[in-house]
Amino acid sequence: MELDGRPLGRIESAEAREIPPRSVELYRFSLPAPARPARDESASRRWRLLGTITVEGRRFPLEAEGRLDPVPGRPRLYR
C-alpha cells in the first residue's frame, strides 16, 4: 500500500476466508502509521493499493486508488 506515493506497508493474510456469492465482506488490517508529512496537513492525501488475491491456486490482480480528505476541525484525521 502507498500513501502519497510512498510505501506504507504490506498487507498479508494466509487465513482462509469464505465469501458467499453476491455479498460484501469487510476485513480490518493494521498498518504502521506513516511518517508525518512534510506538507500541509489540511490537504488531501492519495492512497494506492496493489496486490494479488490467491484463491485455490489461482491468482487475481488487485488494484485500487483513492483520496483521503481531512475531517474539518479534526487535525490529522482523514476520511
Side-chain angles (χ1 to χ4, degrees):
M1 180 159 194
E2 294 177 357
L3 183 62
D4 290 335
R6 292 177 298 210
L8 181 60
R10 181 182 174 112
I11 300 171
E12 188 171 329
S13 175
E15 178 182 332
R17 296 170 186 216
E18 187 171 322
I19 302 173
R22 296 186 203 92
S23 71
V24 175
E25 299 292 323
L26 300 176
Y27 295 97
R28 183 175 294 218
F29 296 93
S30 296
L31 291 170
R36 189 175 186 140
R39 61 187 185 91
D40 181 10
E41 288 192 20
S42 65
S44 296
R45 302 176 80 175
R46 305 283 310 168
W47 60 267
R48 185 171 186 208
L49 180 64
L50 295 171
T52 304
I53 297 175
T54 305
V55 179
E56 297 178 356
R58 294 180 59 198
R59 297 170 58 94
F60 301 92
L62 169 70
E63 183 174 347
E65 57 183 61
R67 185 179 76 201
L68 296 173
D69 294 312
V71 176
R74 306 281 307 268
R76 300 196 66 196
L77 187 61
Y78 293 83
R79 58 177 170 205

PDB file of all heavy atoms in Angstrom, residues 2-27:
ATOM      1  N   GLU A   2       0.468   2.255  -0.723  1.00  0.00           N
ATOM      2  CA  GLU A   2       1.206   3.506  -0.780  1.00  0.00           C
ATOM      3  C   GLU A   2       0.325   4.639  -0.285  1.00  0.00           C
ATOM      4  O   GLU A   2      -0.893   4.615  -0.469  1.00  0.00           O
ATOM      5  CB  GLU A   2       1.610   3.836  -2.222  1.00  0.00           C
ATOM      6  CG  GLU A   2       2.600   2.895  -2.820  1.00  0.00           C
ATOM      7  CD  GLU A   2       2.903   3.244  -4.265  1.00  0.00           C
ATOM      8  OE1 GLU A   2       2.307   4.186  -4.816  1.00  0.00           O
ATOM      9  OE2 GLU A   2       3.752   2.557  -4.851  1.00  0.00           O
ATOM     10  N   LEU A   3       0.947   5.636   0.318  1.00  0.00           N
ATOM     11  CA  LEU A   3       0.263   6.851   0.728  1.00  0.00           C
ATOM     12  C   LEU A   3       1.102   8.008   0.234  1.00  0.00           C
ATOM     13  O   LEU A   3       2.285   8.110   0.564  1.00  0.00           O
ATOM     14  CB  LEU A   3       0.102   6.906   2.248  1.00  0.00           C
ATOM     15  CG  LEU A   3      -0.664   8.098   2.794  1.00  0.00           C
ATOM     16  CD1 LEU A   3      -2.099   8.100   2.269  1.00  0.00           C
ATOM     17  CD2 LEU A   3      -0.670   8.077   4.308  1.00  0.00           C
ATOM     18  N   ASP A   4       0.509   8.869  -0.587  1.00  0.00           N
ATOM     19  CA  ASP A   4       1.219   9.996  -1.205  1.00  0.00           C
ATOM     20  C   ASP A   4       2.459   9.541  -1.954  1.00  0.00           C
ATOM     21  O   ASP A   4       3.504  10.171  -1.904  1.00  0.00           O
ATOM     22  CB  ASP A   4       1.586  11.059  -0.168  1.00  0.00           C
ATOM     23  CG  ASP A   4       0.373  11.803   0.356  1.00  0.00           C
ATOM     24  OD1 ASP A   4      -0.640  11.861  -0.364  1.00  0.00           O
ATOM     25  OD2 ASP A   4       0.441  12.329   1.468  1.00  0.00           O
ATOM     26  N   GLY A   5       2.377   8.378  -2.624  1.00  0.00           N
ATOM     27  CA  GLY A   5       3.473   7.882  -3.438  1.00  0.00           C
ATOM     28  C   GLY A   5       4.592   7.206  -2.669  1.00  0.00           C
ATOM     29  O   GLY A   5       5.571   6.766  -3.249  1.00  0.00           O
ATOM     30  N   ARG A   6       4.465   7.084  -1.350  1.00  0.00           N
ATOM     31  CA  ARG A   6       5.489   6.416  -0.542  1.00  0.00           C
ATOM     32  C   ARG A   6       4.945   5.093  -0.021  1.00  0.00           C
ATOM     33  O   ARG A   6       3.795   5.031   0.418  1.00  0.00           O
ATOM     34  CB  ARG A   6       5.890   7.296   0.644  1.00  0.00           C
ATOM     35  CG  ARG A   6       6.626   8.553   0.214  1.00  0.00           C
ATOM     36  CD  ARG A   6       6.912   9.388   1.411  1.00  0.00           C
ATOM     37  NE  ARG A   6       5.614   9.755   1.995  1.00  0.00           N
ATOM     38  CZ  ARG A   6       5.384  10.868   2.653  1.00  0.00           C
ATOM     39  NH1 ARG A   6       6.336  11.711   2.875  1.00  0.00           N
ATOM     40  NH2 ARG A   6       4.198  11.140   3.125  1.00  0.00           N
ATOM     41  N   PRO A   7       5.754   4.029  -0.043  1.00  0.00           N
ATOM     42  CA  PRO A   7       5.288   2.746   0.501  1.00  0.00           C
ATOM     43  C   PRO A   7       4.882   2.892   1.960  1.00  0.00           C
ATOM     44  O   PRO A   7       5.566   3.532   2.743  1.00  0.00           O
ATOM     45  CB  PRO A   7       6.508   1.843   0.370  1.00  0.00           C
ATOM     46  CG  PRO A   7       7.378   2.491  -0.639  1.00  0.00           C
ATOM     47  CD  PRO A   7       7.118   3.964  -0.534  1.00  0.00           C
ATOM     48  N   LEU A   8       3.729   2.326   2.301  1.00  0.00           N
ATOM     49  CA  LEU A   8       3.222   2.415   3.665  1.00  0.00           C
ATOM     50  C   LEU A   8       3.376   1.088   4.392  1.00  0.00           C
ATOM     51  O   LEU A   8       3.668   1.057   5.576  1.00  0.00           O
ATOM     52  CB  LEU A   8       1.750   2.827   3.631  1.00  0.00           C
ATOM     53  CG  LEU A   8       1.042   2.997   4.961  1.00  0.00           C
ATOM     54  CD1 LEU A   8       1.727   4.060   5.800  1.00  0.00           C
ATOM     55  CD2 LEU A   8      -0.402   3.361   4.739  1.00  0.00           C
ATOM     56  N   GLY A   9       3.196   0.002   3.705  1.00  0.00           N
ATOM     57  CA  GLY A   9       3.301  -1.295   4.350  1.00  0.00           C
ATOM     58  C   GLY A   9       2.748  -2.380   3.462  1.00  0.00           C
ATOM     59  O   GLY A   9       2.293  -2.131   2.357  1.00  0.00           O
ATOM     60  N   ARG A  10       2.789  -3.580   3.976  1.00  0.00           N
ATOM     61  CA  ARG A  10       2.342  -4.752   3.237  1.00  0.00           C
ATOM     62  C   ARG A  10       1.214  -5.412   4.013  1.00  0.00           C
ATOM     63  O   ARG A  10       1.309  -5.588   5.224  1.00  0.00           O
ATOM     64  CB  ARG A  10       3.522  -5.701   3.076  1.00  0.00           C
ATOM     65  CG  ARG A  10       3.215  -6.935   2.314  1.00  0.00           C
ATOM     66  CD  ARG A  10       4.451  -7.827   2.275  1.00  0.00           C
ATOM     67  NE  ARG A  10       4.121  -9.077   1.666  1.00  0.00           N
ATOM     68  CZ  ARG A  10       4.575  -9.470   0.497  1.00  0.00           C
ATOM     69  NH1 ARG A  10       5.415  -8.700  -0.166  1.00  0.00           N
ATOM     70  NH2 ARG A  10       4.221 -10.618  -0.006  1.00  0.00           N
ATOM     71  N   ILE A  11       0.168  -5.787   3.319  1.00  0.00           N
ATOM     72  CA  ILE A  11      -0.954  -6.495   3.918  1.00  0.00           C
ATOM     73  C   ILE A  11      -0.873  -7.931   3.439  1.00  0.00           C
ATOM     74  O   ILE A  11      -0.867  -8.194   2.241  1.00  0.00           O
ATOM     75  CB  ILE A  11      -2.299  -5.881   3.480  1.00  0.00           C
ATOM     76  CG1 ILE A  11      -2.383  -4.419   3.898  1.00  0.00           C
ATOM     77  CG2 ILE A  11      -3.458  -6.679   4.052  1.00  0.00           C
ATOM     78  CD1 ILE A  11      -3.574  -3.699   3.307  1.00  0.00           C
ATOM     79  N   GLU A  12      -0.787  -8.862   4.382  1.00  0.00           N
ATOM     80  CA  GLU A  12      -0.699 -10.274   4.003  1.00  0.00           C
ATOM     81  C   GLU A  12      -1.499 -11.101   4.987  1.00  0.00           C
ATOM     82  O   GLU A  12      -1.416 -10.909   6.191  1.00  0.00           O
ATOM     83  CB  GLU A  12       0.754 -10.718   4.001  1.00  0.00           C
ATOM     84  CG  GLU A  12       0.938 -12.109   3.443  1.00  0.00           C
ATOM     85  CD  GLU A  12       2.405 -12.443   3.243  1.00  0.00           C
ATOM     86  OE1 GLU A  12       3.200 -11.541   2.974  1.00  0.00           O
ATOM     87  OE2 GLU A  12       2.728 -13.628   3.377  1.00  0.00           O
ATOM     88  N   SER A  13      -2.292 -12.005   4.467  1.00  0.00           N
ATOM     89  CA  SER A  13      -3.080 -12.885   5.312  1.00  0.00           C
ATOM     90  C   SER A  13      -3.182 -14.249   4.644  1.00  0.00           C
ATOM     91  O   SER A  13      -3.600 -14.348   3.493  1.00  0.00           O
ATOM     92  CB  SER A  13      -4.485 -12.312   5.531  1.00  0.00           C
ATOM     93  OG  SER A  13      -5.261 -13.229   6.264  1.00  0.00           O
ATOM     94  N   ALA A  14      -2.787 -15.275   5.353  1.00  0.00           N
ATOM     95  CA  ALA A  14      -2.895 -16.638   4.832  1.00  0.00           C
ATOM     96  C   ALA A  14      -4.157 -17.309   5.372  1.00  0.00           C
ATOM     97  O   ALA A  14      -4.435 -18.449   5.054  1.00  0.00           O
ATOM     98  CB  ALA A  14      -1.659 -17.444   5.232  1.00  0.00           C
ATOM     99  N   GLU A  15      -4.898 -16.584   6.167  1.00  0.00           N
ATOM    100  CA  GLU A  15      -6.116 -17.111   6.763  1.00  0.00           C
ATOM    101  C   GLU A  15      -7.170 -17.369   5.684  1.00  0.00           C
ATOM    102  O   GLU A  15      -7.431 -16.522   4.834  1.00  0.00           O
ATOM    103  CB  GLU A  15      -6.654 -16.083   7.762  1.00  0.00           C
ATOM    104  CG  GLU A  15      -7.935 -16.476   8.429  1.00  0.00           C
ATOM    105  CD  GLU A  15      -8.410 -15.377   9.367  1.00  0.00           C
ATOM    106  OE1 GLU A  15      -7.589 -14.624   9.879  1.00  0.00           O
ATOM    107  OE2 GLU A  15      -9.625 -15.303   9.575  1.00  0.00           O
ATOM    108  N   ALA A  16      -7.769 -18.548   5.698  1.00  0.00           N
ATOM    109  CA  ALA A  16      -8.822 -18.878   4.739  1.00  0.00           C
ATOM    110  C   ALA A  16     -10.074 -18.078   5.079  1.00  0.00           C
ATOM    111  O   ALA A  16     -10.465 -17.991   6.237  1.00  0.00           O
ATOM    112  CB  ALA A  16      -9.115 -20.365   4.782  1.00  0.00           C
ATOM    113  N   ARG A  17     -10.669 -17.491   4.066  1.00  0.00           N
ATOM    114  CA  ARG A  17     -11.891 -16.710   4.255  1.00  0.00           C
ATOM    115  C   ARG A  17     -12.902 -17.119   3.204  1.00  0.00           C
ATOM    116  O   ARG A  17     -12.570 -17.252   2.040  1.00  0.00           O
ATOM    117  CB  ARG A  17     -11.598 -15.224   4.132  1.00  0.00           C
ATOM    118  CG  ARG A  17     -10.674 -14.781   5.226  1.00  0.00           C
ATOM    119  CD  ARG A  17     -10.179 -13.405   5.005  1.00  0.00           C
ATOM    120  NE  ARG A  17      -9.190 -13.146   6.043  1.00  0.00           N
ATOM    121  CZ  ARG A  17      -9.026 -12.000   6.626  1.00  0.00           C
ATOM    122  NH1 ARG A  17      -9.761 -10.987   6.288  1.00  0.00           N
ATOM    123  NH2 ARG A  17      -8.123 -11.843   7.558  1.00  0.00           N
ATOM    124  N   GLU A  18     -14.120 -17.307   3.618  1.00  0.00           N
ATOM    125  CA  GLU A  18     -15.170 -17.699   2.686  1.00  0.00           C
ATOM    126  C   GLU A  18     -16.146 -16.547   2.521  1.00  0.00           C
ATOM    127  O   GLU A  18     -16.704 -16.052   3.495  1.00  0.00           O
ATOM    128  CB  GLU A  18     -15.915 -18.927   3.202  1.00  0.00           C
ATOM    129  CG  GLU A  18     -16.885 -19.470   2.191  1.00  0.00           C
ATOM    130  CD  GLU A  18     -17.453 -20.803   2.628  1.00  0.00           C
ATOM    131  OE1 GLU A  18     -16.715 -21.609   3.202  1.00  0.00           O
ATOM    132  OE2 GLU A  18     -18.653 -21.019   2.372  1.00  0.00           O
ATOM    133  N   ILE A  19     -16.322 -16.115   1.279  1.00  0.00           N
ATOM    134  CA  ILE A  19     -17.230 -15.009   0.983  1.00  0.00           C
ATOM    135  C   ILE A  19     -18.323 -15.549   0.065  1.00  0.00           C
ATOM    136  O   ILE A  19     -18.051 -15.949  -1.067  1.00  0.00           O
ATOM    137  CB  ILE A  19     -16.479 -13.844   0.312  1.00  0.00           C
ATOM    138  CG1 ILE A  19     -15.347 -13.368   1.225  1.00  0.00           C
ATOM    139  CG2 ILE A  19     -17.440 -12.712  -0.016  1.00  0.00           C
ATOM    140  CD1 ILE A  19     -14.440 -12.351   0.593  1.00  0.00           C
ATOM    141  N   PRO A  20     -19.561 -15.581   0.547  1.00  0.00           N
ATOM    142  CA  PRO A  20     -20.661 -16.099  -0.273  1.00  0.00           C
ATOM    143  C   PRO A  20     -20.895 -15.226  -1.511  1.00  0.00           C
ATOM    144  O   PRO A  20     -20.582 -14.041  -1.509  1.00  0.00           O
ATOM    145  CB  PRO A  20     -21.870 -16.026   0.661  1.00  0.00           C
ATOM    146  CG  PRO A  20     -21.315 -15.858   2.030  1.00  0.00           C
ATOM    147  CD  PRO A  20     -19.987 -15.196   1.869  1.00  0.00           C
ATOM    148  N   PRO A  21     -21.465 -15.810  -2.575  1.00  0.00           N
ATOM    149  CA  PRO A  21     -21.776 -15.024  -3.776  1.00  0.00           C
ATOM    150  C   PRO A  21     -22.699 -13.849  -3.457  1.00  0.00           C
ATOM    151  O   PRO A  21     -23.524 -13.930  -2.550  1.00  0.00           O
ATOM    152  CB  PRO A  21     -22.486 -16.018  -4.693  1.00  0.00           C
ATOM    153  CG  PRO A  21     -22.134 -17.361  -4.162  1.00  0.00           C
ATOM    154  CD  PRO A  21     -21.873 -17.190  -2.695  1.00  0.00           C
ATOM    155  N   ARG A  22     -22.536 -12.762  -4.200  1.00  0.00           N
ATOM    156  CA  ARG A  22     -23.363 -11.551  -4.076  1.00  0.00           C
ATOM    157  C   ARG A  22     -23.337 -10.957  -2.677  1.00  0.00           C
ATOM    158  O   ARG A  22     -24.332 -10.415  -2.203  1.00  0.00           O
ATOM    159  CB  ARG A  22     -24.799 -11.834  -4.498  1.00  0.00           C
ATOM    160  CG  ARG A  22     -24.921 -12.195  -5.941  1.00  0.00           C
ATOM    161  CD  ARG A  22     -26.393 -12.322  -6.317  1.00  0.00           C
ATOM    162  NE  ARG A  22     -26.549 -13.150  -7.477  1.00  0.00           N
ATOM    163  CZ  ARG A  22     -26.756 -14.460  -7.472  1.00  0.00           C
ATOM    164  NH1 ARG A  22     -26.857 -15.101  -6.355  1.00  0.00           N
ATOM    165  NH2 ARG A  22     -26.859 -15.117  -8.593  1.00  0.00           N
ATOM    166  N   SER A  23     -22.229 -11.063  -2.005  1.00  0.00           N
ATOM    167  CA  SER A  23     -22.132 -10.465  -0.677  1.00  0.00           C
ATOM    168  C   SER A  23     -20.885  -9.600  -0.599  1.00  0.00           C
ATOM    169  O   SER A  23     -20.021  -9.652  -1.470  1.00  0.00           O
ATOM    170  CB  SER A  23     -22.095 -11.542   0.404  1.00  0.00           C
ATOM    171  OG  SER A  23     -20.866 -12.218   0.354  1.00  0.00           O
ATOM    172  N   VAL A  24     -20.821  -8.822   0.430  1.00  0.00           N
ATOM    173  CA  VAL A  24     -19.661  -7.963   0.674  1.00  0.00           C
ATOM    174  C   VAL A  24     -19.165  -8.260   2.074  1.00  0.00           C
ATOM    175  O   VAL A  24     -19.940  -8.312   3.021  1.00  0.00           O
ATOM    176  CB  VAL A  24     -20.052  -6.471   0.571  1.00  0.00           C
ATOM    177  CG1 VAL A  24     -18.883  -5.591   0.938  1.00  0.00           C
ATOM    178  CG2 VAL A  24     -20.559  -6.151  -0.818  1.00  0.00           C
ATOM    179  N   GLU A  25     -17.891  -8.487   2.200  1.00  0.00           N
ATOM    180  CA  GLU A  25     -17.282  -8.750   3.496  1.00  0.00           C
ATOM    181  C   GLU A  25     -16.214  -7.699   3.738  1.00  0.00           C
ATOM    182  O   GLU A  25     -15.454  -7.355   2.830  1.00  0.00           O
ATOM    183  CB  GLU A  25     -16.648 -10.141   3.529  1.00  0.00           C
ATOM    184  CG  GLU A  25     -17.617 -11.278   3.318  1.00  0.00           C
ATOM    185  CD  GLU A  25     -18.595 -11.455   4.459  1.00  0.00           C
ATOM    186  OE1 GLU A  25     -18.189 -11.257   5.623  1.00  0.00           O
ATOM    187  OE2 GLU A  25     -19.751 -11.787   4.188  1.00  0.00           O
ATOM    188  N   LEU A  26     -16.135  -7.184   4.931  1.00  0.00           N
ATOM    189  CA  LEU A  26     -15.116  -6.217   5.305  1.00  0.00           C
ATOM    190  C   LEU A  26     -14.147  -6.874   6.274  1.00  0.00           C
ATOM    191  O   LEU A  26     -14.566  -7.542   7.214  1.00  0.00           O
ATOM    192  CB  LEU A  26     -15.736  -4.989   5.972  1.00  0.00           C
ATOM    193  CG  LEU A  26     -16.722  -4.205   5.126  1.00  0.00           C
ATOM    194  CD1 LEU A  26     -17.329  -3.081   5.949  1.00  0.00           C
ATOM    195  CD2 LEU A  26     -16.076  -3.660   3.880  1.00  0.00           C
ATOM    196  N   TYR A  27     -12.863  -6.660   6.044  1.00  0.00           N
ATOM    197  CA  TYR A  27     -11.828  -7.182   6.927  1.00  0.00           C
ATOM    198  C   TYR A  27     -10.915  -6.033   7.305  1.00  0.00           C
ATOM    199  O   TYR A  27     -10.621  -5.169   6.488  1.00  0.00           O
ATOM    200  CB  TYR A  27     -11.026  -8.290   6.229  1.00  0.00           C
ATOM    201  CG  TYR A  27     -11.866  -9.500   5.936  1.00  0.00           C
ATOM    202  CD1 TYR A  27     -12.436  -9.698   4.687  1.00  0.00           C
ATOM    203  CD2 TYR A  27     -12.124 -10.433   6.926  1.00  0.00           C
ATOM    204  CE1 TYR A  27     -13.218 -10.798   4.420  1.00  0.00           C
ATOM    205  CE2 TYR A  27     -12.909 -11.539   6.664  1.00  0.00           C
ATOM    206  CZ  TYR A  27     -13.452 -11.712   5.414  1.00  0.00           C
ATOM    207  OH  TYR A  27     -14.228 -12.801   5.168  1.00  0.00           O
TER     208      TYR A  27
END
